[in-house]
Amino acid sequence: MKTPKTPAAALGAAALTLLVSACASSIAPPPVAPPDPVLLGTLERYTVNDCNPQTAAVLTALRLPASDVRGFNYGIYRDEFRDIIVRWDAWVYLNSQPGALVVTLDEDCRPIQVYAREGARLPGGR
């Protein structure tokens, strides 16, 4: 019996899927704490959004002072077939450093992850 030959592209795609699945499952949700009212008020001054309390909860857990926020906005990801929001990225710009902190939230505003971009660092050096 002959063994069917699997094209290299199919093997590569399978390996990539496995790798991405492994990476995606290793992302731990960020820490949260009761949102600091001053920090929440600062976020609300920049952008009014239903996800602001959850974003503030993540930033509060990171011990980010409200006085360090110099800008804030959301990136929106939509499902193009159903025209619904599937994810939010909250971009938080700081006075103390370049770049931004990004809090990723799902369609129901549940925090997925937090990371730093463009030269920023998470509070505590993470």
Side-chain angles (χ1 to χ4, degrees), residues 75-89 104-110 112:
I76 301 171
Y77 295 85
R78 292 184 177 275
D79 178 325
E80 63 185 74
F81 300 108
R82 297 179 294 158
D83 194 33
I84 60 169
I85 295 171
V86 294
R87 194 177 89 203
W88 301 89
D89 279 348
T104 302
L105 306 120
D106 71 10
E107 67 274 8
D108 295 319
C109 299
R110 290 180 298 240
I112 297 171

Side-chain angles (χ1 to χ4, degrees), residues 25-116:
S25 65
S26 67
I27 296 175
V32 294
D36 171 26
V38 176
L39 181 57
L40 179 56
T42 300
L43 299 183
E44 291 283 335
R45 278 198 328 258
Y46 288 105
T47 302
V48 176
N49 187 293
D50 290 341
C51 292
N52 284 356
Q54 292 82 353
T55 301
V58 171
L59 299 174
T60 300
L62 293 174
R63 298 191 172 140
L64 181 75
S67 61
D68 200 15
V69 177
R70 72 173 160 83
F72 174 65
N73 62 40
Y74 284 96
I76 301 171
Y77 295 85
R78 292 184 177 275
D79 178 325
E80 63 185 74
F81 300 108
R82 297 179 294 158
D83 194 33
I84 60 169
I85 295 171
V86 294
R87 194 177 89 203
W88 301 89
D89 279 348
W91 289 75
V92 184
Y93 302 94
L94 307 175
N95 289 313
S96 63
Q97 55 184 314
L101 302 182
V102 182
V103 179
T104 302
L105 306 120
D106 71 10
E107 67 274 8
D108 295 319
C109 299
R110 290 180 298 240
I112 297 171
Q113 67 178 338
V114 62
Y115 59 94

